[in-house]
Amino acid sequence: MRGGVADLAHALGGRIGIGQARLGDGDDLRPEESLAMARATPARRAEFAAGRSAARAGLQAIGLVPLPIPMAPDRSPIWPRGVIGSISHDGDQAMAIVTRYQGVAGLGLDMEPHEDLPCDLWETVLTPAETRWLSMRDAAARGPLARMIFSAKEASYKALYPLTGAVVGFDAMTILPDPDRRRFTARLNVGFGPYGPGTELTGHLLTHADRIVTALVLPPADECGQNRAAIPDMEMQCFHANPPEALEI
């Protein structure tokens, strides 16, 4: 997935830090992070450590100190003040994206195997509109496209979840993949805070031989024709690891 990281970095731009780690290669957990893994299996601990290692690499990529990233009671990452991000795992890989709060309301990342979504999940994952859209594609392409829809929903939900903390079903949004343009559109069927039903969000969709990667950089709500999200600018907890002039913000 090294090429995948380069492609994602190009798509997201320099203000987004990207990190990657393999399970088993993650650095030792910080004390604040180990608390969440006190009763975890070795496999889960390795996955968690790789995700945190990838996240700290993402912080360093935008010139910030790689501080601990504990886990909240709802299992979401607790990012340093002034920073938001998203972590994803698949198989032996972990990837993370991070950025500063200013100008970005949320981040979501998902990584999936590049293979068919099992047919027995289609009824749960797909909305009627998505099912109709798939029915018009070549039969051989429907399974991977269904997996792309699933991944795009995961990434979009991760970006939106911190706004409300609400658990929703797969019918909360409708996804239109556009693999040729490496994009997807997520149309919200329910509201997430200031992002009302009908809001359309554009995400990134990258495919490789073994992975599907989707990412959503959530713009401020006023850029989506909604009222601005009530997310104040926050004091930075991560001091610059590099001089500010070296950063591409």
Side-chain angles (χ1 to χ4, degrees), residues 1 90 110-115 144-145 147-148 151 205-208 210-214:
M1 277 296 293
D90 176 54
D110 187 66
M111 186 166 51
E112 299 286 333
H114 193 182
E115 57 189 37
L145 286 171
R147 177 76 72 171
M148 292 176 196
S151 182
L205 168 61
L206 304 176
T207 59
H208 290 267
D210 60 344
R211 293 288 193 280
I212 294 169
V213 178
T214 54

Side-chain angles (χ1 to χ4, degrees), residues 228-246:
R228 184 174 178 83
I231 302 177
D233 291 340
M234 303 179 70
E235 179 185 358
M236 290 293 298
Q237 182 177 350
C238 295
F239 293 99
H240 297 310
N242 296 313
E245 61 268 22

Side-chain angles (χ1 to χ4, degrees), residues 11 20 35 51-53 76 78 87 95-96 99 202 226 245-246:
Q20 187 179 27
L35 292 173
R52 264 47 187 184
S53 181
S76 63
I78 301 176
I87 301 171
M95 187 182 292
T99 193
T202 300
Q226 310 289 322
E245 61 268 22

Side-chain angles (χ1 to χ4, degrees), residues 95-193:
M95 187 182 292
I97 56 175
V98 298
T99 193
R100 304 175 185 211
Y101 245 124
Q102 293 181 331
V104 178
L107 283 180
L109 174 72
D110 187 66
M111 186 166 51
E112 299 286 333
H114 193 182
E115 57 189 37
D116 292 359
L117 184 72
C119 293
D120 58 355
L121 295 179
W122 288 27
E123 185 174 351
T124 300
V125 171
L126 303 177
T127 65
E130 292 162 346
T131 300
R132 289 194 298 271
W133 182 83
L134 279 179
S135 71
M136 294 184 287
R137 311 298 121 187
D138 292 339
R142 292 172 191 168
L145 286 171
R147 177 76 72 171
M148 292 176 196
I149 290 173
F150 172 81
S151 182
K153 289 190 179 189
E154 290 286 305
S156 300
Y157 178 64
K158 285 182 179 181
L160 291 160
Y161 171 78
L163 299 177
T164 63
V167 178
V168 299
F170 287 103
D171 58 352
M173 63 187 71
T174 297
I175 301 293
L176 179 63
D178 189 351
D180 292 338
R181 297 180 60 201
R182 297 186 169 188
R183 298 287 181 90
F184 69 84
T185 299
R187 186 180 190 278
L188 303 186
N189 300 323
V190 301
F192 288 84

